[in-house]
Amino acid sequence: MSEAPWQATVLSLFPEVFPGPLGASLIGKALAKGLWTLETVDIRAFAGDKHRTVDDSPFGGGPGMVMRADVLARAIDSVAPVGPRFYMSPRGRPLDQGLARDLAAEPGVLLVCGRFEGVDERVLEARGLIEISIGDIVLAGGEVAAMALLEATVRLLPGVLGEPDSLSEESFAAGLLEYPQYTRPRVWEGREVPEVLLEGDHARVAAWRQSAAETLTRERRPDLWRRYRGRRDEAGRPE
Ligand code: SAH
């Protein structure tokens, strides 16, 4: 291969959970083929004492434990990552398809997975970690969030998906949710496939899909719909 593989470096207290779902199907095949690489770092290996302590109680009081800045910094400094460095965090910029696309264009990424109540704020500043969230939910740890980011990004790398065409039609590609999909059998439990999809008229199929995608987006995601309309109107296309 001429180009260096896309390089993921993940720091975690539970490195054994990787690759997990990232080892399956096309993403896993791409990993086996060397289209991307996954290095995991066990944060606990960088603890300074014989009890291998990685956390401590928060200054100022309050429940739970906080991951120590010094331990985490040693773990980060032990690797030579490429691309941006992120801390998976509910306070972060929400992950979306645009960010996944941007990351696929980078040489790779470093992801820090928190546990407990999170990490000492100072290590975020000192190591330039950008906070990324996978949604307005609180997980028990950053590992599942890191997997979501990696899966969304790796499937966009050249050569990972069998049919790159499928990327241009899917949800968010044009700012819309995807239209409904159907396959055989043609009638199932008395439910029929929309007639237009069976007629072989590609222009009519495209128009039906466009209209279905717009309806779904308008009904389910007014936020996406407003942005889509804004962009469409700016482009001067008729209503
Ligand atoms: N006390 C923190 C939550 C800690 S949850 C707060 O209120 O903000 C423990 C770890 O899970 C975090 O350090 C983070 O790495 C991860 N995590 C939890 N929710 C997440 C989310 N929505 N997106 C990304 N990572 C998340």
Side-chain angles (χ1 to χ4, degrees), residues 80-147:
V82 294
R85 303 160 161 220
F86 296 120
Y87 165 53
M88 307 314 299
S89 159
R91 305 189 311 189
R93 164 178 170 189
L95 174 64
D96 62 14
Q97 195 61 17
L99 180 58
R101 241 176 263 131
D102 291 346
L103 293 179
E106 294 280 349
V109 75
L110 171 122
L111 304 177
V112 174
C113 304
R115 280 274 159 177
F116 320 121
E117 289 307 318
V119 306
D120 187 309
E121 189 77 17
R122 292 170 295 179
V123 74
L124 303 179
E125 301 158 6
R127 293 299 179 272
L129 298 176
I130 304 159
E131 293 178 67
I132 296 289
S133 168
I134 62 157
D136 291 342
I137 46 168
V138 180
L139 302 169
E143 289 76 12
V144 166
M147 287 176 189

Side-chain angles (χ1 to χ4, degrees), residues 97 101 155-157 161 163-174:
Q97 195 61 17
R101 241 176 263 131
R155 66 190 288 286
L156 300 178
L157 298 175
L161 291 197
E163 290 178 73
D165 280 358
S166 60
L167 292 176
S168 60
E169 294 243 333
E170 68 188 4
S171 287
F172 312 114

Side-chain angles (χ1 to χ4, degrees), residues 44-54 68 70-71 74:
R44 199 171 292 281
F46 296 87
D49 61 339
K50 71 172 194 299
H51 300 295
R52 307 228 291 156
T53 309
V54 294
R68 289 172 56 120
D70 54 349
V71 176
R74 278 198 293 273

Side-chain angles (χ1 to χ4, degrees), residues 180-225:
Q181 302 263 27
Y182 302 89
T183 186
R184 275 178 276 276
R186 205 170 145 155
V187 181
W188 173 75
E189 292 194 351
R191 294 164 189 269
E192 296 188 14
V193 169
E195 194 61 37
V196 58
L197 302 179
L198 309 170
E199 289 165 355
D201 181 336
H202 296 304
R204 289 218 333 131
V205 168
W208 182 88
R209 287 180 167 167
Q210 175 69 20
S211 146
E214 290 186 0
T215 304
L216 269 178
T217 309
R218 195 171 56 233
E219 286 172 2
R220 294 187 186 178
R221 292 292 302 274
D223 57 323
L224 290 181
W225 179 244

